[in-house]
């Protein structure tokens, strides 16, 4: 069982940066692939980024590639999402998720989810 708690969301102007954190409980955090997803008002939840259990491999949605960076610190049981050059269309609730095995960009593949943190980008 893994419990996930996101933090770091807020209001930022377009072009600004935020760093989201996702703290995980459990001793086996390092065995889980982690993902970030987001859901904008009136839209379906979508994949943002994913990272392998070791942190050695990452994968991004085209819409954030080159602007967002996912990373993890297994000693701190935490995964991060550094978001730069933010745009109004990045406004959404951001969720982290965990799954055992390889990292995937598919929502249904993840077993554990956090409650989400709101990111609002003003124009």
């Amino acid at each position: 069982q893994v419990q996930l708690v996101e933090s770091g969301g807020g209001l930022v102007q377009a072009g600004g940066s935020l760093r989201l954190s996702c703290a995980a409980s459990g001793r086996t955090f390092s065995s889980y692939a982690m993902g970030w997803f987001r859901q904008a008002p009136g839209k379906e939840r979508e994949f943002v980024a994913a990272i392998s259990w070791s942190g050695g491999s990452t994968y991004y949605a085209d819409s954030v590639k080159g602007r967002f960076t996912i990373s993890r610190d297994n000693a701190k049981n935490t995964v991060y999402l550094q978001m730069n050059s933010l745009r109004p269309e990045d406004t959404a609730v951001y969720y982290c998720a965990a799954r055992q095995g390889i990292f995937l960009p598919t929502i249904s593949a993840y077993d554990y989810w956090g409650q989400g943190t709101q990111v609002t980008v003003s124009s």
Side-chain angles (χ1 to χ4, degrees), residues 18-102:
L18 281 175
R19 188 176 81 155
L20 306 183
S21 299
C22 174
S25 65
R27 299 179 181 179
T28 59
F29 172 75
S30 60
S31 68
Y32 286 83
M34 300 296 295
W36 284 98
F37 297 80
R38 67 186 181 186
Q39 188 165 16
K43 295 187 177 181
E44 294 186 351
R45 193 169 299 189
E46 64 176 6
F47 168 76
V48 175
I51 189 166
S52 62
W53 65 270
S54 68
S57 298
T58 57
Y59 183 69
Y60 297 92
D62 288 343
S63 58
V64 307
K65 200 173 295 182
R67 300 189 297 124
F68 290 10
T69 303
I70 188 171
S71 62
R72 67 190 295 161
D73 184 339
N74 286 341
K76 295 183 178 179
N77 280 14
T78 302
V79 63
Y80 304 97
L81 186 67
Q82 177 67 45
M83 306 186 294
N84 298 328
S85 302
L86 282 162
R87 305 167 179 169
E89 53 263 40
D90 294 319
T91 295
V93 177
Y94 283 71
Y95 300 89
C96 69
R99 72 180 305 274
Q100 288 190 307
I102 64 172

